[in-house]
Amino acid sequence: MIPNRKISATLAAAAATALLLASCGTSEAVQNPGIAAAPAVSPGAALAPSTAPSFNPTAPAVSQQPAVTVVPSASPTPAVAVKQYRINKNYDVVPLDTALDANKKVVLLTFDDGPKKSETLTLILDTLDKHKAKAIFFVNGNRVKQNPDLLKLIQQRKQTIGNHTWDHVDLKKEPPEKVDTQIGDVQTIVKELTGEAPVFFRPPNGSGSDYVREAVKKAGMVYMTWSNGSLDWDTKTADKPQEVIDNVLKQLHAGSNILMHELTWTAEALDKLLTELEAKGYSFVDPAAIALE
């Protein structure tokens, strides 16, 4: 057993030490006001758990900005023209039986034997745009080979390209293998340059045969000649724009399939011709609205 005198001395020493420590803490707090004296902690007391968030270096960073969901925009679907017309046995443009609301007082504009000259073609295209008109440009393969940029220009200006054989031969006089070549080579070169093969065909001089018609059908095209000739190719009409206009108006009827060519005087006549057609109540068929029968 420890004597009482020794216990008292031990307790006195512990009390003196505690007073000394408290005095030092108080003195430092006084000398440095920014430092608060640490609270006394009784021996054996449990420490309260900290409420501050702990740092985890492996946890993903949390953004303070609201989450944004990015939805990729869909590519616009190209509009598909409603088929409202067909080419009849007289090569007129007439409404389909199912398109009862289609306007009958229309004309189809066509231009053969190009592409030739940039100036002439551009004037025709500008005039068509001015009147919001569409047309078929029946091209020859040999001219396409010479002027590929002009063919692309026709497509870029949202006009339709048709097949008019490779070098403007009379197909009625040609053997089947020559017919196939004259038609097929144009399909090939036009598709290579524009990505699309023609869907309309016109035989040079309007000269065809049963074999030609069948070959055209197999190639996925509509066969047509015309029902209103401008005679712009005739020497009597050369350099006479008004003659072109008069020839068309003399034959004008609902559904006229108008034959013209890429010629200077035709290009010069076109604005006045389209103006007069509009004044008479006619509108211009978009080839895209013609059914591929």
Side-chain angles (χ1 to χ4, degrees):
M1 177 178 290
I2 302 175
N4 289 337
R5 185 179 298 175
K6 291 184 177 180
I7 293 174
S8 298
T10 300
L11 292 175
T17 301
L19 289 173
L20 179 62
L21 291 174
S23 174
C24 291
T26 302
S27 175
E28 184 177 3
V30 171
Q31 295 176 5
N32 298 282
I35 301 177
V41 180
S42 61
L47 295 175
S50 173
T51 58
S54 61
F55 173 70
N56 182 357
T58 63
V62 179
S63 173
Q64 299 302 314
Q65 299 296 327
V68 177
T69 302
V70 179
V71 180
S73 58
S75 300
T77 302
V80 178
V82 177
K83 304 299 182 183
Q84 291 186 295
Y85 297 92
R86 63 183 177 87
I87 303 295
N88 68 9
K89 62 181 181 179
N90 297 320
Y91 304 113
D92 282 328
V93 180
V94 297
L96 291 168
D97 294 337
T98 56
L100 301 178
D101 59 339
N103 180 17
K104 295 181 179 180
K105 203 171 182 180
V106 295
V107 298
L108 175 62
L109 305 173
T110 68
F111 299 88
D112 288 10
D113 298 355
K116 295 178 182 178
K117 297 180 180 179
S118 176
E119 297 80 3
T120 304
L121 177 60
T122 300
L123 178 55
I124 292 173
L125 293 171
D126 288 346
T127 303
L128 291 173
D129 285 350
K130 176 182 177 181
H131 291 267
K132 296 180 174 59
K134 299 297 182 182
I136 302 175
F137 287 80
F138 285 103
V139 300
N140 295 125
N142 59 349
R143 291 198 168 102
V144 169
K145 187 175 181 179
Q146 295 169 1
N147 303 294
D149 290 343
L150 295 184
L151 182 81
K152 293 178 182 179
L153 178 62
I154 295 171
Q155 184 192 47
Q156 291 166 2
R157 300 291 290 270
K158 309 300 182 183
Q159 300 295 339
T160 298
I161 297 169
N163 186 326
H164 198 43
T165 73
W166 186 265
D167 49 16
H168 208 277
V169 298
D170 186 343
L171 293 180
K172 195 172 184 178
K173 299 178 181 179
E174 301 296 338
E177 58 272 15
K178 182 68 174 292
V179 170
D180 292 342
T181 300
Q182 285 285 321
I183 295 173
D185 287 356
V186 175
Q187 294 294 91
T188 298
I189 194 171
V190 171
K191 187 170 184 178
E192 286 177 350
L193 291 170
T194 68
E196 300 176 353
V199 295
F200 297 105
F201 177 84
R202 173 173 284 161
N205 307 313
S207 180
S209 65
D210 289 342
Y211 183 84
V212 172
R213 289 181 177 84
E214 187 61 28
V216 169
K217 184 177 181 180
K218 287 181 179 178
M221 292 185 286
V222 174
Y223 180 102
M224 71 173 77
T225 59
W226 59 89
S227 62
N228 184 323
S230 66
L231 300 179
D232 57 353
W233 53 268
D234 195 313
T235 55
K236 296 178 181 178
T237 308
D239 293 321
K240 298 176 182 177
Q242 188 59 47
E243 287 290 327
V244 176
I245 296 169
D246 293 342
N247 288 335
V248 170
L249 295 182
K250 286 175 185 177
Q251 305 168 67
L252 184 62
H253 60 275
S256 286
N257 184 342
I258 303 173
L259 167 65
M260 294 175 282
H261 295 78
E262 189 188 303
L263 297 167
T264 303
W265 47 92
T266 302
E268 293 171 353
L270 191 59
D271 186 25
K272 184 177 180 182
L273 172 60
L274 300 190
T275 299
E276 294 206 24
L277 290 172
E278 290 171 321
K280 293 179 179 295
Y282 284 86
S283 59
F284 313 112
V285 170
D286 184 345
I290 299 175
L292 307 180
E293 296 180 338

